[in-house]
Amino acid sequence: MSGSNNKPQQSINLEDMSLQQLQKIKTQLESEINELTTAFTQMKQAQGAFRECKSCIGTLRPENQDKTVLIPLSNSLYVPGKLSNVKSVVMDVGTGYYVEKSTDDAAIYYDKKIDYVQENAKKIQETVEQKQASYRGLLEIMQYKLTQQQRQQQQQQQEEEGGSKAPVATAS
Amino acid sequence: MSTQQREKLEAETMAFQKLQKEYTTLVESRQKLESQLHENELVDKEFKILKDDSRVYKMIGPVLVLQDKTEATANVEKRIEFIRDEMGRVEKRIEQLGKEQESKSVEIFRLQMDMQGISKA
């Protein structure tokens, strides 16, 4: 098996490493991939939340002015109210600050946020794919070394058993 | 293997582990600071493109309190500066710890070699 799966960007030559070292790298890659996948899922969720906010703004149309709405006071307690302001919204911009914006500006804000998260999610996805490719290459090399090791052990066993035969220099 | 050497090795190893723990904690706090910085920078950007007549609220407990836009901007900018300073300090300490860790591990290695050298003789 050639080392064709050694990614060119790796600065360490995996083939030169012992099985133990490869095992360590394998565990490290596994945890990295897991972390990145979790981050990716969180990004997608955040994106969903922003899209939801944006569509909520869509309900604030001039024709809905003064319509009755139910305001939640708790999860199971509501009060009826009237939609008096369909022109502006107060939105969370981070670190505990809320800003009042017109519905159009708010929609733009959410659009920007959605795009921003989308870009980050894409970057994470690319990194995950890279790491998974390295991981697969690593597994192949480990498998190869393992078979090599087993073959060596078998050879040694056979030579020990066939002790009456002419001694063959064992590769040490 | 002299007991003295063994004790020294143990002491150095424990010191090394302590360094490692501090290092991990620092790296964690640096990451936290980085994400706080990022969030504050986003807010700062948002304030900058805000029209001057837009209202800014701050969430204090369960209440949204009206803030003066210039005051809020100044607040956020001060916070950003503070976080940057804090990050600089943490990064310097991280660098320092890295060097200490390295010299400790060299020391430990030397002790181990010494001990093996004596036991072989």
Side-chain angles (χ1 to χ4, degrees):
Chain A
M1 172 181 299
S2 69
S4 57
N5 285 320
N6 264 342
K7 299 298 153 209
Q9 63 256 33
Q10 276 174 311
S11 48
I12 339 162
N13 192 354
L14 288 179
E15 290 185 333
D16 287 342
M17 298 179 114
S18 75
L19 258 183
Q20 275 172 324
Q21 291 169 308
L22 290 178
Q23 183 70 31
K24 259 206 258 172
I25 300 185
K26 174 171 174 282
T27 335
Q28 199 191 347
L29 268 183
E30 275 170 357
S31 78
E32 279 175 11
I33 292 180
N34 271 340
E35 273 179 28
L36 287 174
T37 318
T38 318
F40 181 76
T41 321
Q42 285 176 334
M43 297 259 146
K44 281 295 171 188
Q45 283 175 336
Q47 221 186 9
F50 287 135
R51 286 214 173 98
E52 176 92 28
C53 285
K54 192 170 162 226
S55 76
C56 286
I57 299 180
T59 62
L60 291 178
R61 288 189 298 273
E63 62 254 32
N64 290 337
Q65 175 106 29
D66 290 332
K67 278 213 182 140
T68 323
V69 285
L70 285 175
I71 320 275
L73 291 183
S74 82
N75 267 345
S76 38
L77 186 60
Y78 294 79
V79 282
K82 242 199 296 190
L83 199 55
S84 56
N85 180 357
V86 289
K87 295 218 187 68
S88 63
V89 285
V90 176
M91 47 194 300
D92 182 357
V93 289
T95 72
Y97 279 103
Y98 290 72
V99 169
E100 186 179 17
K101 280 185 187 267
S102 73
T103 44
D104 293 327
D105 284 343
I108 296 176
Y109 175 85
Y110 281 127
D111 272 332
K112 269 200 277 185
K113 278 277 189 251
I114 291 173
D115 289 337
Y116 175 72
V117 175
Q118 178 68 18
E119 268 205 49
N120 278 355
K122 207 168 78 166
K123 272 193 229 159
I124 292 184
Q125 205 179 12
E126 285 174 3
T127 318
V128 169
E129 281 169 10
Q130 259 181 10
K131 294 223 177 253
Q132 280 176 333
S134 307
Y135 186 69
R136 283 193 292 268
L138 179 74
L139 282 181
E140 282 189 28
I141 294 182
M142 280 181 76
Q143 187 59 39
Y144 173 63
K145 287 202 178 255
L146 198 61
T147 5
Q148 232 187 2
Q149 211 180 48
Q150 287 174 340
R151 231 179 278 151
Q152 263 183 346
Q153 284 173 346
Q154 275 179 346
Q155 235 182 358
Q156 277 178 340
Q157 254 184 343
Q158 286 173 348
E159 277 159 13
E160 278 166 25
E161 283 169 9
S164 55
K165 299 195 189 139
V168 181
T170 337
S172 52
Chain B
M1 252 198 289
S2 86
T3 337
Q4 216 182 19
Q5 275 185 319
R6 206 180 321 162
E7 283 176 359
K8 182 116 196 314
L9 183 64
E10 269 181 33
E12 293 292 303
T13 319
M14 281 192 40
F16 183 73
Q17 286 176 339
K18 215 171 105 190
L19 282 179
Q20 274 185 318
K21 247 202 274 179
E22 196 187 334
Y23 189 80
T24 327
T25 324
L26 277 182
V27 169
E28 264 181 38
S29 59
R30 188 184 153 278
Q31 278 181 325
K32 214 173 77 168
L33 283 174
E34 213 178 313
S35 80
Q36 280 179 336
L37 180 68
H38 185 63
E39 199 185 349
N40 276 288
E41 279 175 343
L42 283 180
V43 178
D44 193 40
K45 236 196 311 180
E46 201 54 47
F47 281 166
K48 291 209 161 73
I49 64 177
L50 210 49
K51 304 188 201 67
D52 270 334
D53 57 348
S54 307
R55 289 189 283 208
V56 175
Y57 298 85
K58 183 161 175 180
M59 178 155 273
I60 301 182
V63 181
L64 284 183
V65 179
L66 192 57
Q67 300 264 294
D68 178 37
K69 179 171 172 263
T70 27
E71 196 184 322
T73 327
N75 244 331
V76 173
E77 285 178 348
K78 239 190 283 179
R79 223 186 275 175
I80 290 180
E81 215 185 295
F82 175 73
I83 296 180
R84 286 221 173 102
D85 286 340
E86 188 72 23
M87 256 181 71
R89 255 187 293 145
V90 169
E91 276 174 356
K92 247 201 275 185
R93 181 79 187 120
I94 286 181
E95 212 186 301
Q96 210 182 14
L97 272 182
K99 290 202 197 121
E100 280 180 33
Q101 274 189 355
E102 215 186 301
S103 63
K104 264 276 178 266
S105 67
V106 163
E107 178 68 20
I108 289 180
F109 185 69
R110 194 177 62 79
L111 280 176
Q112 288 174 332
M113 287 292 107
D114 278 351
M115 281 170 47
Q116 282 187 2
I118 289 192
S119 64
K120 270 201 194 140

